[in-house]
Amino acid sequence: DQQVKQNSPSLSVQEGRISILNCDYTNSMFDYFLWYKKYPAEGPTFLISISSIKDKNEDGRFTVFLNKSAKHLSLHIVPSQPGDSAVYFCAATLKAAGNKLTFGGGTRVLVKP
Amino acid sequence: NAGVMQNPRHLVRRRGQEARLRCSPMKGHSHVYWYRQLPEEGLKFMVYLQKENIIDESGMPKERFSAEFPKEGPSILRIQQVVRGDSAAYFCASSRAQVGPNTGELFFGEGSRLTVL
């Protein structure tokens, strides 16, 4: 049972344009969502997060939007830079059930110069 | 380097051998998690430990896999009698406290890549 899904395995975008990554979840009890970025042969690094009591969180070029009724979140990167080329994972957690993160399958982003 | 340290980075084992993966959490972190990433897939939770305690092992296969986080020393993920399907990247993560709003997030190590021949 895949509780967190990233339906787009890859995304190609021109440098300077906006990258939009999508993530859907099925468990309405999730109360905290995170985005991680991963380069090849490295561990995931934390990017940005959002609590279920909010619908938007912004940090520099990165903005995460949460639509609880649709069980959908998205990550916007603007403007996209070549160094943003990586695999992006969304993750969700349920505070009452402990600390484990449930990850989506990832979206590979390629930013073309 | 104050990050999460994992070793070995690469490990090759033949079927039936044992694999031991080690993880030293970030300084000041007492919560350790192990995740597995199969090729072309996302990360799957395996186990969550605190010092000398297994808190949640709901993602661990019932057989051949075990994990510990002793009072002294690194956390160990042990896989006995490895099979080809165990070939994956195993990531360790640590946190200071429970993940959630205003309490920080997981910090991951660079992973240990196990190849079973």
Side-chain angles (χ1 to χ4, degrees), chain A residues 3-113:
Chain A
Q3 296 190 70
V4 178
K5 275 188 179 179
Q6 294 175 255
N7 290 319
S8 298
S10 63
L11 173 69
S12 183
V13 65
Q14 207 67 36
E15 181 179 5
R17 307 294 288 269
I18 185 170
S19 295
I20 300 177
L21 291 81
N22 294 303
C23 179
D24 297 294
Y25 61 95
T26 56
N27 188 344
S28 58
M29 300 298 289
F30 285 140
D31 51 18
Y32 191 54
F33 303 89
L34 307 91
W35 284 92
Y36 280 81
K37 176 180 178 179
K38 186 179 180 304
Y39 293 116
E42 293 186 13
T45 54
F46 171 75
L47 205 53
I48 193 169
S49 63
I50 188 167
S51 164
S52 61
I53 61 173
K54 296 186 175 181
D55 55 19
K56 178 182 174 181
N57 188 27
E58 190 172 352
D59 183 3
R61 297 186 297 114
F62 303 92
T63 303
V64 56
F65 296 92
L66 176 62
N67 182 336
K68 279 174 53 181
S69 60
K71 297 196 189 70
H72 177 84
L73 67 155
S74 61
L75 174 69
H76 292 206
I77 307 173
V78 56
S80 300
Q81 299 173 353
D84 296 331
S85 297
V87 178
Y88 290 78
F89 293 97
C90 71
T93 187
L94 172 57
K95 193 173 180 180
N99 302 286
K100 62 188 182 187
L101 297 181
T102 301
F103 282 86
T107 297
R108 186 180 304 275
V109 173
L110 174 63
V111 180
K112 295 188 245 185

Side-chain angles (χ1 to χ4, degrees), chain A residues 2 4-6 9 36 38 44 87-91 101-108, chain B residues 34-46 87-91 108:
Chain A
Q2 210 172 344
V4 178
K5 275 188 179 179
Q6 294 175 255
Y36 280 81
K38 186 179 180 304
V87 178
Y88 290 78
F89 293 97
C90 71
L101 297 181
T102 301
F103 282 86
T107 297
R108 186 180 304 275
Chain B
W34 286 93
Y35 285 79
R36 175 166 66 174
Q37 185 182 24
L38 295 170
E40 305 302 320
E41 293 188 16
L43 287 84
K44 296 284 193 288
F45 169 80
M46 298 183 76
S87 295
Y90 292 83
F91 291 95
F108 282 83

